[in-house]
Amino acid sequence: MHSFTLAFVLALLAHLAVQVWLARRQIIHVKSHRDAIPPGFETAVSAAEHAKAADYASARQRVGIVETIYDAAIVLALTLGGGIAVLGDWVAGFTAPGVFAGTLHLLAVFAAMTLAGLPFTVYQTFVLEQRFGFNRTRPATFLGDQLKAWALGLVLGGGVAAGVLWIMAEAGTSWWVVGWAAWLAFSLLVTWAWPRVIAPLFNKFSPLEDKPLRERIDALLARCDFHAKAVYVMDGSRRSSHGNAYFTGLGREKRIVFFDSLLTSLNAAQVESVLAHELAHFKLRHIPQRLLVGAAMSLAGFALLGWLSRQEWFYTALGVPNASDAAALLLFMLVVPAFTWVVSPALAAWSRRHEYEADAFAAQHSDARSLAEALVTLYKDNATTLTPDPLYSAFHDSHPPPAARIERLRTLGSPVAATP
Ligand SMILES: [Zn+2]
């Protein structure tokens, strides 16, 4: 056995073990706090709501454990099990080698992975979310979404695959620099196209008509010297009762999008404070920092792929006897995450720091108490557990644990409240 085969299997198993261990910790921790509402939340959350959040969190973790093991088995089946090689031979049976054959090979593997993951998507939507009363997706909507997503995957995924394969074939040994530049250009194009072309395929966006709220938002934007093109309401409640708010687009073309379910559960002051938080991610330059780090990481990824794709052992050690550009891309996508997961706690910690900074910004430019109220309402509506396991949270969570976050907002809000 090649030593890289062993390294890959060990890394994959280590990741699996850590994920299952953390998920089990989360289930045990949440269950043991099921009957005790944490201090500070007693008036806002009922015992039944707290228990529901605990049950929802444990149910999701249980499905998550099964899915984690299943996904690892799929990765092993496609690599060492010979799945990538078999699909490559199948495509080679009716197409001459080249960019087109490589694209078909990539699409065939993606299709196999999508089909393999479908039972989990169905279960999550129609069993798990249904049981806790969040699902509003009807089977027809679900089927329509899937067909649209597959069509989009075929066009975008096929286009990207063909583009990268063409660059690999034509641009010489430094192809990865060209590939990286093309990847950045493609990411920008998608960021531009998303709110205009792609998101409207799935949801309806209408201008925010609530006049008083609109004036409040305009005042906040003016106060923070922020320019947004438009404020939209999205019909998120067609699929789920989970609420959210976000920004899309680039530069001066930015749009603010509210899920309709968020606007029905929060009052105007709370909506304003949530928006102030989202706005902070731009004003404090969190978004450009993330883009920069993402670009640097993808450059490192392309450089690594450029080198790995020239190593004979990269193919033979991973269940692919015949090297090809398509196989290099597929192996890279499936195998590298087995090693890179070790940096995810650092990225999560970085994201949590940004969340605290954005909360502080919102407290300064809007109102800390309204933001705390809004967060508690969202925790309640989304059945977010208020008592996550500290280690699980440190490893996975992009947002700070609820109790710590609310506590921080209370101290930020108190000087204002204490002034006569
Ligand atoms: Zn945030």
Side-chain angles (χ1 to χ4, degrees), residues 166-218:
W166 182 74
I167 291 168
M168 287 175 95
E170 301 294 329
T173 45
S174 301
W175 72 264
W176 55 272
V177 184
V178 185
W180 175 68
W183 173 252
L184 282 190
F186 173 76
S187 307
L188 279 181
L189 180 73
V190 168
T191 312
W192 177 85
W194 194 268
R196 281 170 188 74
V197 187
I198 301 170
L201 292 174
F202 295 90
N203 282 98
K204 235 176 42 220
F205 294 82
S206 40
L208 175 67
E209 266 163 19
D210 185 334
K211 252 263 170 69
L213 180 60
R214 182 67 226 231
E215 278 163 11
R216 240 192 135 104
I217 290 170
D218 287 340

Side-chain angles (χ1 to χ4, degrees), residues 282-296:
F282 284 95
K283 293 304 275 189
L284 303 174
R285 314 210 61 74
H286 294 161
I287 312 269
Q289 283 176 40
R290 271 178 223 194
L291 289 177
L292 220 65
V293 168

Side-chain angles (χ1 to χ4, degrees), residues 77-79 81-94 105 108-109 319-322:
L78 284 171
T79 54
I84 290 175
V86 166
L87 288 170
D89 290 344
W90 174 67
V91 169
F94 57 85
H105 188 191
V109 175
V320 179
N322 302 311

Side-chain angles (χ1 to χ4, degrees), residues 26 45 48 63 112 144 146 194 197 199 223 277 279 294 332 339 348 367:
Q26 172 82 336
V45 179
V63 180
Q146 291 296 319
W194 194 268
V197 187
R223 212 155 61 229
H277 169 101
L279 213 145
F332 185 79
F339 297 94
D367 178 33

Side-chain angles (χ1 to χ4, degrees), residues 277-278 281 354-355 358 399 405:
H277 169 101
E278 294 303 327
H281 288 309
H354 284 169
E355 294 305 327
H399 287 67
R405 200 171 169 193

Side-chain angles (χ1 to χ4, degrees), residues 381-402:
D381 289 354
N382 293 329
T384 307
T385 177
L386 300 173
T387 55
D389 174 58
L391 258 183
Y392 176 92
S393 182
F395 195 95
H396 284 296
D397 287 347
S398 60
H399 287 67

Side-chain angles (χ1 to χ4, degrees), residues 52 83 87 114 141 183 187 212-213 222 228 248 251 255 278 284 303 309 344 357 370 380 393:
K52 178 191 168 182
L87 288 170
T114 306
T141 310
W183 173 252
S187 307
L213 180 60
T248 63
R255 299 164 183 216
E278 294 303 327
L284 303 174
S309 63
S344 59
E357 288 173 9
S370 295
K380 199 160 68 177
S393 182

